[in-house]
Structure formats: C-alpha cells, structure tokens
Amino acid sequence: MKILCFGDSNTYGYDPRSYFGGQYPAQHRWVDLLAQKMGCKVVNAGENGREIPMREGELQRFDLMLSNQKPLDMLLVMLGGNDLLQGNSVQAVAQRMEAFLTRIPLEKSQIVLIGPPRMKPGAWITDDRLLEDCVRLNAAYRTVAEKLGVRFVDATGWDIDVTYDGVHYSEKGHQTFAEQLFLSLSRSLEVNT
C-alpha cells in the first residue's frame, strides 16, 4: 500500500524552534509514524504555508506530483488552517476544498479529507474566532465529504499538543496525531473490506 499525504506545515513536520522552516526528525513526524504503524510507504507532501490549491500553477504542480506518485492507494488531504489564518471564512474554505477535491482524478474511495485539529490560544492565535472556525470548518468538511463521496476524518476531538504559536504540533502532538489517524484509517479500511 502507498499513501500520499498532501498538507501544510503540520504534515511537513515543521519544527517552530528552527529558523529556516526545518523539520522535526523523522521519528517525531506524524507522517513517518503513520508509515511505521501501517507498515506501508507513506509519502510526505507537506509544505509550509500551503493553502488549498486554487491557482492554475498550484493545480498543475499538484497534478504532476500526483502523477509521479502513481500507483497510489490513498490520498490524505489536510489543508484549510492556513486559509483560515489568512482571514478566509469557513464557507469560502469549504468551497475551495470542494472545488479542489472534485478535480482529483482518483476513485473517491481513495481520497481521505482530514479536518484539521483545533488550534489553541498562542502567539499566532489571539482571536477566539479562529478557535471557533476550526470546529465549524470540520463540520463544513464533513458535508463536503458526504456530498462528494470521499472519506472524512474529524480530528477536532484529538487534543493535539501544540507549540507556543497555538498552531504547530509539538513532538508529542505528532505522536498523538499519528496514533489517532491510524485508528481512524484502520476502522475505515475494515468497513470498506
């Protein structure tokens, strides 16, 4: 089995203690931890600052990356946090996600939309609106997933430990995320077999 994880800095494994966008070591990144738990190849396609692709160049880069990773069994998509941080409404972010997922040339059963875990108060999160929007975004993503027939994982209840900024997972947070995602995917795979 081969899984592609397409996301932002939390998928990339960004370590906020680094100055130039560095990563945590592999043993502390959820993508690598998930690969160990699932016993399969998991490709990290996370990128710091990534928002949901909308522009033609972004979409073409995604298409090329997806093509280069074939054959592929599962695509995990976890985006939207940066879109919220840039001031977009929950409705606008959900519409972007729907448009993005609609154009992905995979079987719907291969696509898993992950609703990002809650942000927490911190250096980057000083507005309660963002805390509430995280929860609302997951509800909107669930609706999008049901409409499109893709799988959905709601991570808002996972209590992911974050760093001082309120956004990026700590090493402990990556471990918890990997454990919870493994359980969710395992249940999902059992249902579909």
Side-chain angles (χ1 to χ4, degrees):
M1 177 179 262
K2 183 178 180 183
I3 300 174
L4 177 63
C5 300
F6 187 69
D8 55 25
S9 54
N10 278 322
T11 299
Y12 173 75
Y14 173 67
D15 181 351
R17 299 169 298 189
S18 68
Y19 290 107
F20 301 108
Q23 288 175 298
Y24 288 119
Q27 69 266 25
H28 297 296
R29 296 191 300 251
W30 74 258
V31 171
D32 298 276
L33 294 167
L34 182 67
Q36 290 174 6
K37 290 178 179 301
M38 295 198 71
C40 65
K41 180 169 183 170
V42 181
V43 178
N44 188 335
E47 180 179 291
N48 293 340
R50 178 180 280 144
E51 297 177 37
I52 299 165
M54 295 185 333
R55 296 176 189 85
E56 193 56 37
E58 297 169 334
L59 295 169
Q60 288 174 353
R61 281 192 300 279
F62 173 80
D63 291 344
L64 179 61
M65 179 198 58
L66 191 64
S67 176
N68 288 338
Q69 294 299 332
K70 289 183 178 176
L72 190 63
D73 297 290
M74 191 182 301
L75 171 67
L76 306 182
V77 177
M78 186 171 69
L79 290 168
N82 286 320
D83 302 74
L84 291 177
L85 287 168
Q86 292 301 319
N88 294 288
S89 70
V90 169
Q91 181 182 4
V93 176
Q95 288 171 343
R96 285 181 182 184
M97 183 58 77
E98 181 176 344
F100 175 63
L101 294 178
T102 299
R103 65 178 303 285
I104 296 175
L106 292 173
E107 295 293 324
K108 298 305 178 196
S109 61
Q110 294 177 284
I111 301 172
V112 180
L113 174 59
I114 303 172
R118 294 174 190 243
M119 297 177 192
K120 297 183 179 177
W124 289 17
I125 308 300
T126 57
D127 182 354
D128 287 346
R129 178 192 60 84
L130 284 168
L131 303 175
E132 296 159 9
D133 281 355
C134 285
V135 177
R136 287 198 292 266
L137 181 61
N138 273 270
Y141 274 5
R142 182 181 299 278
T143 301
V144 167
E146 289 170 357
K147 178 179 178 183
L148 299 181
V150 302
R151 291 189 240 174
F152 176 70
V153 173
D154 183 344
T156 53
W158 291 357
D159 193 26
I160 302 300
D161 188 62
V162 295
T163 62
Y164 71 93
D165 58 26
V167 174
H168 294 105
Y169 310 163
S170 68
E171 292 173 346
K172 179 183 174 191
H174 275 273
Q175 182 176 351
T176 302
F177 189 90
E179 290 167 358
Q180 293 297 321
L181 183 56
F182 172 70
L183 292 173
S184 294
L185 293 177
S186 297
R187 284 192 295 267
S188 176
L189 292 171
E190 286 172 13
V191 167
N192 290 316
T193 54

